[in-house]
């Protein structure tokens, strides 16, 4: 059975039902990481939300095709690879591998296709040629090519340029050729950047001379190749709405035609301790920063899904503590039950008492609401059907429940425990007390029951 998913669409500004254009597979694209350093938990808020969307679709019985790119050439990757004395490929490969490790630690499903910008230079050149031919682009005289935003009348529909106060006066003359884009001004943007001395050996030949593609172009070219001219959904963090996604729409619609993305999905930015994440405040936390304080990737994932993707989410150490406690409660509730495989849960029809949790997810990906529903119904879960529903919601959220730790008791402590128990059975209270004190001195408490005893860590 297919259960439909509804989601807020950034372009239509309303919650819409997601249905595959081709009636078979839900095909979606996510702007991926720029691989010049470790991804931070803010990046992962967006990647985890995209992962939850995919899981909810798949568990609802919908097949997906997930494409997420790797940005392996831009100002930052070039600058930092040169500083590290590595080739661009060596440098970006290293950070791509780190990114993959973090994704799997966070239990994110791998995209079906993960194309990189460097591997798609010819496709990007073809797109520029088409834009030039159709009058949407121009050469600037220094080996660069720019997109002319005044040639596309719908420019700005996604980010509502008409209602925002931007530096609109300079539209025709100002050009932006930096990959570090400016969110407050409107400018023709670069499609091909003529080679500059600081690029070193990182350039490719083109009809306009040596250079490299501008950052916005890679997504348009790779989407066309792997998803076609019209596809189901495009996604990223809210910072990408303008200008990156606006520019992608302009490039793609003007070169290929088609509808481009039918739906748009953006997550709000993660805050840390109530503030914007920043290098200067030391809050660009990575998984390995947090692992140093013994926080697990699952605890981090739990925090990242604990708020609705359209609401501001504040990451704090208290929220990590709460996540640890919540995960442990879930583990204890499900103790002794085998978690079914992800595959076996696809298309599950009945979620038993956890149907409310499923509905929270299918209605605009309300992860916070789903967690609330899980806890509210834990006590009433009884039947096999209920427990299958439980594991399906846990799988939709992408959580892996921690194993309940059995405290290791050394042989010496076990023997002391036994001797004390025997002394007690023989009513030798003095001896039994001595053993109890000895155990206490070694950090163990004895709790007696009617038919036996338990050794607990002090
Ligand atoms: P980047 O590697 O900078 O291209 O970013 C990768 C993804 O992370 C993009 O979808 C960004 O929009 C997203 N992103 C960056 N910072 C944050 C943040 N603080 N919270 C949520 N998403 C973010
Ligand atoms: Zn993109």
């Amino acid at each position: 059975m297919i259960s439909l998913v509804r989601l807020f669409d950034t372009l239509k500004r309303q919650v819409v039902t997601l249905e595959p254009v081709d009636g078979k597979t839900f095909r979606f694209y996510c702007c991926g990481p720029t691989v010049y350093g470790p991804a931070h938990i803010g990046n992962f808020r967006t990647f985890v939300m995209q992962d939850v969307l995919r899981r909810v679709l798949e568990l609802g019985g919908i097949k997906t095709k997930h494409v997420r790119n790797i940005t392996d050439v831009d100002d930052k990757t070039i600058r930092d690879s040169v500083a590290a004395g590595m080739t661009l490929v060596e440098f970006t490969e290293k950070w791509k591998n780190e990114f993959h490790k973090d994704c799997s630690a966070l239990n994110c499903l791998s995209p079906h296709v993960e194309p990189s910008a460097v591997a798609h230079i010819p496709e990007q050149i073809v797109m520029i040629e088409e834009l030039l031919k159709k009058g949407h682009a121009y050469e600037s005289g220094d080996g660069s090519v720019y997109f002319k935003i005044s040639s596309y009348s719908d420019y700005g529909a996604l980010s509502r340029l008409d209602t925002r106060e931007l530096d609109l006066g300079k539209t025709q003359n100002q050009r932006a050729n930096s990959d570090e884009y400016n969110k407050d001004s409107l400018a023709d943007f670069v499609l091909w950047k003529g080679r500059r001395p600081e690029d070193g050996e990182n350039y490719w030949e083109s009809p306009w001379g040596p250079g490299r593609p501008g950052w916005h172009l890679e997504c348009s070219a790779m989407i066309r190749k792997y998803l076609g001219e019209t596809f189901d959904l495009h996604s990223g963090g809210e910072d990408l709405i303008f200008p990156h996604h606006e520019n992608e729409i302009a490039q793609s619609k003007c070169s290929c035609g088609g509808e481009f993305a039918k739906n748009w999905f953006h997550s709000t930015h993660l805050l840390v301790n109530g503030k914007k994440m920043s290098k200067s405040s030391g809050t660009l936390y990575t998984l390995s920063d947090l692992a140093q304080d013994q926080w697990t990737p699952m605890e981090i994932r739990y925090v990242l899904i604990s708020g609705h993707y359209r609401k501001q989410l504040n990451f704090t150490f208290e929220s990590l503590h709460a996540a640890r406690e919540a995960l442990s409660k879930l583990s204890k509730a499900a103790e002794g039950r085998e978690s079914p495989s992800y595959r076996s849960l696809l298309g599950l029809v009945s979620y038993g008492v956890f149907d409310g949790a499923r509905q929270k997810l299918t209605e605009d990906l309300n992860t916070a609401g789903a967690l609330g529903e899980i806890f509210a119904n834990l006590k009433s879960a009884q039947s096999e059907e209920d427990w299958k529903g439980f594991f399906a919601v846990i799988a939709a959220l992408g959580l892996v429940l921690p194993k309940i730790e059995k405290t290791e008791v050394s042989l010496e402590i076990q023997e002391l425990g036994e001797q004390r128990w025997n002394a007690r059975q023989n009513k030798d209270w003095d001896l039994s007390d001595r053993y109890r004190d000895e155990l206490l001195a070694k950090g163990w408490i004895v709790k007696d029951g009617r038919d036996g005893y338990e050794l607990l860590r002090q």
Side-chain angles (χ1 to χ4, degrees):
M1 192 189 83
I2 289 201
S3 92
L4 293 174
V5 179
R6 285 162 47 78
L7 193 74
F8 184 83
D9 180 301
T10 319
L11 179 63
K12 301 190 184 83
R13 287 157 184 98
Q14 62 185 40
V15 177
V16 297
T17 302
L18 301 181
E19 280 167 299
V21 191
D22 70 0
K24 288 186 285 205
T25 305
F26 192 85
R27 295 168 309 119
F28 70 108
Y29 185 88
C30 305
C31 293
T34 308
V35 281
Y36 71 109
H40 56 66
I41 53 170
N43 301 135
F44 284 119
R45 155 112 162 129
T46 294
F47 295 131
V48 162
M49 280 302 165
Q50 292 160 344
D51 183 61
V52 174
L53 174 64
R54 172 170 162 190
R55 287 166 174 274
V56 172
L57 285 162
E58 291 181 349
L59 286 156
I62 297 171
K63 225 174 138 226
T64 68
K65 179 170 179 184
H66 176 192
V67 182
R68 186 180 65 209
N69 69 306
I70 294 281
T71 297
D72 54 359
V73 56
D74 80 327
D75 295 343
K76 291 177 285 188
T77 45
I78 291 180
R79 179 196 66 202
D80 291 1
S81 63
V82 171
M86 294 164 91
T87 66
L88 185 64
V89 172
E90 277 166 5
F91 180 78
T92 54
E93 192 66 19
K94 168 182 145 123
W95 289 114
K96 184 175 89 176
N97 292 339
E98 291 300 317
F99 175 69
H100 286 162
K101 272 192 224 155
D102 285 351
C103 285
S104 75
L106 285 166
N107 198 31
C108 288
L109 299 167
S110 305
H112 301 102
V113 189
E114 195 179 46
S116 94
V118 165
H120 293 79
I121 303 287
E123 288 85 346
Q124 297 182 72
I125 290 178
V126 166
M127 206 166 237
I128 299 173
E129 284 176 322
E130 286 170 352
L131 290 169
L132 279 166
K133 211 184 299 163
K134 293 182 182 171
H136 291 292
Y138 59 90
E139 292 184 56
S140 63
D142 63 351
S144 298
V145 183
Y146 284 81
F147 186 93
K148 189 169 161 188
I149 57 174
S150 61
S151 75
Y152 177 53
S153 58
D154 281 347
Y155 188 85
L158 181 70
S159 60
R160 287 215 160 153
L161 269 186
D162 51 343
T163 61
R164 289 191 301 135
E165 285 186 17
L166 283 181
D167 194 356
L168 293 166
K170 297 179 188 156
T171 308
Q172 302 314 312
N173 309 317
Q174 192 179 314
R175 292 185 191 133
N177 86 342
S178 168
D179 293 328
E180 303 277 347
Y181 49 87
N182 185 344
K183 295 182 75 67
D184 300 318
S185 75
L186 192 57
D188 288 352
F189 58 91
V190 74
L191 296 167
W192 187 260
K193 291 172 93 151
R195 186 183 175 195
R196 298 168 310 175
E198 59 266 38
D199 292 339
E201 292 310 302
N202 301 304
Y203 66 91
W204 289 264
E205 292 302 336
S206 81
W208 318 284
R212 63 185 164 95
W215 172 54
H216 307 295
L217 190 61
E218 63 182 75
C219 294
S220 285
M222 296 191 270
I223 285 172
R224 178 192 217 171
K225 180 161 179 179
Y226 298 103
L227 295 173
E229 292 171 0
T230 304
F231 61 105
D232 294 300
L233 178 134
H234 196 323
S235 168
E238 61 181 347
D239 59 311
L240 298 189
I241 299 174
F242 180 83
H244 183 57
H245 286 162
E246 211 68 88
N247 292 352
E248 281 190 33
I249 296 172
Q251 292 161 158
S252 293
K253 286 207 172 179
C254 293
S255 62
C256 336
E259 199 180 328
F260 200 51
K262 282 199 77 91
N263 300 112
W264 289 88
F265 169 45
H266 293 100
S267 313
T268 54
H269 263 199
L270 181 72
L271 303 179
V272 173
N273 299 327
K275 297 207 183 78
K276 195 170 170 227
M277 300 175 67
S278 76
K279 216 176 199 162
S280 57
S281 62
T283 52
L284 291 181
Y285 293 130
T286 63
L287 294 200
S288 70
D289 292 337
L290 295 168
Q292 283 177 10
D293 290 331
Q294 314 303 321
W295 297 110
T296 67
M298 238 350 95
E299 288 157 356
I300 297 165
R301 180 168 178 126
Y302 192 98
V303 175
L304 297 179
I305 61 167
S306 65
H308 190 270
Y309 74 92
R310 281 201 280 142
K311 293 211 177 109
Q312 204 71 264
L313 176 66
N314 185 22
F315 188 94
T316 61
F317 284 90
E318 287 84 70
S319 60
L320 276 173
H321 279 286
R324 181 168 289 176
E325 216 169 286
L327 283 166
S328 150
K329 255 191 212 159
L330 293 173
S331 282
K332 282 190 185 131
E335 194 178 2
R337 296 182 183 276
E338 188 75 25
S339 164
S341 71
Y342 179 69
R343 270 183 162 277
S344 72
L345 293 167
L346 302 182
L348 181 68
V349 176
S350 173
Y351 279 53
V353 295
F354 295 103
D355 201 55
R358 184 237 311 249
Q359 282 174 31
K360 290 283 178 198
L361 289 175
T362 53
E363 183 61 29
D364 201 18
L365 224 56
N366 185 353
T367 48
L371 287 168
E373 283 285 326
I374 296 176
F375 282 106
N377 292 289
L378 261 189
K379 286 225 167 80
S380 34
Q382 279 174 353
S383 65
E384 276 312 304
E385 186 188 21
D386 292 340
W387 282 106
K388 216 164 177 193
F390 170 84
F391 284 114
V393 183
I394 293 294
L397 294 168
L399 294 173
V400 178
L401 302 183
K403 298 245 171 318
I404 294 173
E405 274 191 37
K406 296 263 178 277
T407 320
E408 287 284 323
V409 186
S410 71
L411 211 58
E412 182 203 0
I413 300 297
Q414 285 179 36
E415 274 170 13
L416 282 173
E418 274 308 286
Q419 283 161 336
R420 180 184 167 279
W421 181 252
N422 292 338
R424 241 181 102 80
Q425 299 300 93
N426 298 333
K427 301 198 175 4
D428 188 344
W429 307 118
D430 282 348
L431 186 62
S432 139
D433 281 354
R434 255 185 282 139
Y435 283 128
R436 190 197 54 208
D437 291 345
E438 203 176 325
L439 279 163
L440 204 57
K442 292 181 189 293
W444 292 87
I445 297 168
V446 192
K447 206 171 140 199
D448 289 316
R450 210 152 49 93
D451 307 316
Y453 64 96
E454 215 183 332
L455 288 165
L456 302 170
R457 267 260 176 239
Q458 204 179 4

